[in-house]
Amino acid sequence: MKTQLLSLAAGTLLSAALFANAQAATPSERWIAESRAALEASLDAAGLADDGKAVAITIKAAEDQKGYAPRIVRSSGSTDYDAAVREAVKTVKLGAPPVELRGRGVTFTLGAASAGGASSAGAR
């Protein structure tokens, strides 16, 4: 019985620690993670995720995401792939970014080397 209670208590503490850590992410980090997931999903839906190529795009983080225009800032080496990625992500609807990112360019590396993350590239 003590072993079960100890395991339950340890599990509860671990869950609480994971929840607290997840809540510690800044609004910018959460927006970037959610946006990355949406952009990667659009590549997957377009059949572009498994092409072994990566491309870096910059989008302007604006409150109204109806008409942002992704720009290719680092090519995959294939103009056809780059154009297909740009078309696939143009239609993605992103949530409103936090205040600190509004009006700034955010660069995402998408595709095979997407582990590169995203960076805020300053006002554009």
Side-chain angles (χ1 to χ4, degrees), residues 20-61:
N21 194 24
Q23 294 300 316
T26 67
S28 293
E29 291 168 334
R30 283 193 301 272
W31 183 84
I32 288 171
E34 290 166 3
S35 296
R36 165 171 299 296
L39 294 168
E40 289 284 353
S42 73
L43 291 189
D44 194 35
L48 299 168
D50 296 330
D51 283 4
K53 297 178 183 78
V55 63
I57 63 162
T58 295
I59 62 169
K60 187 172 183 180

Side-chain angles (χ1 to χ4, degrees), residues 4 14 29 41 60 69 77 79-80 104 107:
Q4 289 174 332
L14 181 59
E29 291 168 334
K60 187 172 183 180
T79 55
D80 290 340
R104 299 179 72 89
T107 301

